[in-house]
Amino acid sequence: MSTAQGARARARQEVTAAIKEAARRQLAAEGAAKLSLRAVARELGMVSSALYRYFPSRDDLLTALIIDAYDSLGEAAERARDAAADAAPADRWVAVCEAVRGWALDRPHEYALIYGSPVPGYSAPETTVPPAARVGMVLIGIVRDAHQGPGLAALPLPAGLRPEAARMAADLAPDLPAEAAVALVAAWAQLFGLVCFELFGQFHRVVEDRETFFRHAAGRLAEGVGLRTG
């Protein structure tokens, strides 16, 4: 790559980053449903036609923001897992859950973008799926390590759910027992439900010591997926 080409590439990266940051400020002020390319262009002192060279539509900009948010959240979960590499699986699980909560509290508007109400008229493309799966893959990996190491506690599974459990296991983690796949999906939903309740105000006047409460709840989720504690 020539010097001129490298300079152009860096300039494009800088402008793209500035557009995203302006869009995130708009998310915080107005919400995702009101994200406007024209408003972003005005904030940056750009004409709309120039911004469209970077993001041809509002949906393209939303997709970029969603992927960035999922990747940032996934990186936080992965860092927490790696930092607790020498801990017991249940403790690694809790560390990852706490990292998810911490990321959400630090970046509430980005969390709302990916786990809040759907944006009217927007349909997320397939490119958002791998980033969205990163936290789930971290949690699956912790359960897999336990299954291959100290083992998982026995998990109940109603007979009527076994065909669905087998399908879920085949799709998500073929090397894990079907019971573990069902428990993982339930725990994944409960984890983000806990975070959503705290972030969106449902714990007001219900839970005061939210950090301690969350840590306890995350520990119960660990037990629920068969990770041995104590």
Side-chain angles (χ1 to χ4, degrees):
M1 180 181 293
S2 69
T3 302
Q5 288 175 323
R8 283 195 295 271
R10 286 193 298 273
R12 184 174 183 85
Q13 290 173 353
E14 290 171 1
V15 174
T16 299
I19 291 169
K20 289 179 179 179
E21 282 305 309
R24 291 186 187 103
R25 288 192 291 273
Q26 193 177 124
L27 287 179
E30 303 288 344
K34 294 184 178 179
L35 181 64
S36 163
L37 289 181
R38 291 183 181 275
V40 171
R42 281 197 304 270
E43 179 178 338
L44 295 175
M46 299 172 65
V47 295
S48 298
S49 57
L51 191 146
Y52 290 137
R53 291 200 292 270
Y54 294 86
F55 297 99
S57 70
R58 180 210 68 161
D59 285 5
D60 290 310
L61 179 53
L62 266 178
T63 296
L65 296 175
I66 288 168
I67 289 174
D68 282 356
Y70 276 132
D71 277 334
S72 178
L73 176 58
E75 288 166 7
E78 290 158 5
R79 285 194 302 270
R81 174 202 60 198
D82 295 344
D86 295 331
D91 294 329
R92 286 207 304 279
W93 174 283
V94 171
V96 169
C97 291
E98 290 184 316
V100 169
R101 173 181 180 266
W103 186 92
L105 294 178
D106 286 343
R107 307 172 82 156
H109 302 293
E110 289 182 70
Y111 184 89
L113 175 64
I114 54 179
Y115 287 109
S117 299
V119 179
Y122 173 78
S123 180
E126 288 295 316
T127 52
T128 62
V129 174
R134 288 177 69 167
V135 172
M137 295 306 297
V138 169
L139 297 175
I140 289 171
I142 293 171
V143 173
R144 178 179 292 117
D145 288 346
H147 179 56
Q148 295 173 349
L152 298 172
L155 298 169
L157 184 67
L161 186 56
R162 188 159 293 279
E164 176 67 1
R167 184 199 63 78
M168 292 165 66
D171 287 346
L172 298 173
D175 54 336
L176 290 178
E179 294 87 346
V182 170
L184 274 162
V185 172
W188 172 73
Q190 290 172 75
L191 167 61
F192 287 101
L194 285 165
V195 174
C196 286
F197 262 50
E198 180 173 1
L199 200 63
F200 301 144
Q202 281 88 350
F203 282 155
H204 181 59
R205 293 190 175 181
V206 177
V207 180
E208 296 297 332
D209 187 353
R210 294 172 186 170
E211 183 174 350
T212 303
F213 173 82
F214 183 87
R215 187 178 300 115
H216 170 78
R220 299 294 75 75
L221 293 180
E223 292 179 357
V225 297
L227 299 179
R228 301 178 188 275
T229 59

